[in-house]
Amino acid sequence: MPEVVAVGEALVEIMRRGAGVPLEVVGEFVGPYASGAPAIFADQVARLGHRVAFVGAVGQDAFGRIIIDRLEADGVMTTELVAMPHLSTGVAFITYRKDGSREFIFHMGNAASGALPTVPEMYLARAQWLHICGSTLAASSRMRDVCYKAVEDAHRLGCDVSFDPNLRPELLMGGLEEFRALCEPVLARAALVLPGATELAALTGEDDPQAGAEKLLDRGARIVAVKLGPDGCLLCTPEQSLRLPPYPVEVVDPTGAGDCFAAGVVCGLLEGLPLEEIGRLANACGALAATEQGPMEGAKFRADVEAFIRQQEARQ
């Protein structure tokens, strides 16, 4: 049985070659790369040495095989990753603007990824963590309903919920009000919340990360891990608050870095690590994820992550 269950979209990502090329003009793309926020998270958990199951759907096509082969090669349990015979695998097209921001076009909710299977209760009865992403909630009503049911089942069965609100404006028609409404049923049950600074402000109305984290703790979260990008991270519990600086790397592709960071936090909690060590592990996973082209390509194995941390600490 898995220690961690991740549920949501599995898709491939196809990206512009170089920055500053709009999606609406003729130009070159690179890929396909295995992707999907919860799938990236699951792959990083497996590479860090923990048992993780992924619940999702792909098409019976070449893109689906890319995803299944990658996850299985890294040890992710894929029994509940269903290959749908009459739907194609989800796709995300992405371009980076020159200021570093991103633009997505998603083919997800109406693709195989939208045919999300129900999370087996036998997984949740034995697992310690269920991981949910905001991108999944925004993709389709079917995906949202599956996630909400899984959260309630996890709560009933004693499985903690981790929630990464990863805001994707391209998936939202109603703006921030819709975002908050979509997140609410998961936030109400989440023991761990993993927002970026923008998402934290959207959810709490607080521009200061410390104040926003405290609001989520007051709502019942046991730990809030705020991703602050070039400013590192902020980890807050009811007893302790800790800021950790980032590990400097040459950024090649930051997509997926937040998912790898989240995996580092969950694995650190599984291992009972002190808060500072959890932050170092998560920061290292996030930093390394940004050093490779492709959203899942930067997920590193445990030995590589630990070697990177030792190298960085020796330089300080």
Side-chain angles (χ1 to χ4, degrees):
M1 289 289 104
E3 299 168 273
V4 182
V5 180
V7 55
E9 66 273 14
L11 46 84
V12 296
E13 191 165 294
I14 299 172
M15 61 184 64
R16 283 296 196 191
R17 189 187 298 275
V21 184
L23 290 173
E24 65 265 25
V25 304
V26 174
E28 293 184 345
F29 288 88
V30 293
Y33 297 102
S35 188
I40 298 166
F41 167 88
D43 193 75
Q44 181 66 88
V45 170
R47 286 192 163 202
L48 289 175
H50 288 276
R51 300 187 309 277
V52 55
F54 180 74
V55 180
V58 296
Q60 290 184 0
D61 52 33
F63 288 172
R65 290 193 295 274
I66 289 172
I67 298 164
I68 293 172
D69 288 350
R70 170 59 187 263
L71 295 179
E72 290 184 345
D74 288 341
V76 177
M77 300 167 61
T78 60
T79 303
E80 300 301 321
L81 177 52
V82 180
M84 305 295 293
H86 304 301
L87 291 170
S88 60
T89 298
V91 180
F93 294 91
I94 179 174
T95 187
Y96 284 93
R97 303 183 181 97
K98 290 185 177 180
D99 64 1
S101 62
R102 299 170 294 179
E103 179 182 356
F104 291 90
I105 294 177
F106 288 103
H107 173 56
M108 186 162 65
N110 58 345
S113 52
L116 193 61
T118 301
V119 181
E121 287 194 12
M122 66 176 179
Y123 279 179
L124 299 175
R126 306 289 283 278
Q128 296 182 51
W129 288 98
L130 167 70
H131 187 69
I132 301 291
C133 294
S135 55
T136 313
L137 302 179
S140 74
S141 58
R142 164 67 185 176
M143 299 173 81
R144 187 159 53 248
D145 291 345
V146 168
C147 289
Y148 290 164
K149 182 180 186 305
V151 165
E152 292 304 314
D153 288 343
H155 178 72
R156 173 171 52 83
L157 295 168
C159 176
D160 285 326
V161 174
S162 67
F163 180 44
D164 184 345
N166 63 340
L167 174 63
R168 293 288 182 265
E170 295 87 351
L171 295 172
L172 297 172
M173 301 297 291
L176 292 181
E177 287 189 13
E178 181 188 5
F179 174 66
R180 286 189 286 267
L182 292 176
C183 292
E184 178 58 32
V186 185
L187 276 179
R189 298 298 193 192
L192 166 64
V193 188
L194 300 136
T198 300
E199 297 149 358
L200 182 63
L203 290 172
T204 66
E206 299 286 350
D207 291 327
D208 176 60
Q210 180 72 43
E214 289 174 0
K215 275 195 172 182
L216 293 181
L217 291 174
D218 289 342
R219 291 202 51 182
R222 296 204 306 270
I223 179 169
V224 179
V226 187
K227 297 167 283 188
L228 297 174
D231 295 321
C233 69
L234 170 67
L235 303 179
C236 295
T237 69
E239 298 78 29
Q240 186 179 5
S241 179
L242 181 66
R243 279 184 181 259
L244 289 172
Y247 291 120
V249 295
E250 182 178 350
V251 175
V252 175
D253 181 5
T255 300
D259 304 305
C260 291
F261 173 92
V265 174
V266 169
C267 289
L269 291 170
L270 282 171
E271 296 164 18
L273 299 180
L275 197 62
E276 185 173 355
E277 290 187 31
I278 292 173
R280 286 201 295 265
L281 177 62
N283 272 353
C285 290
L288 287 167
T291 63
E292 301 282 348
Q293 183 81 43
M296 201 180 287
E297 304 313 302
K300 302 298 184 182
F301 288 99
R302 187 60 173 263
D304 298 321
V305 176
E306 292 179 348
F308 174 77
I309 294 173
R310 289 195 298 271
Q311 181 186 59
Q312 294 295 316
E313 297 295 330
R315 291 177 176 175
Q316 295 180 358

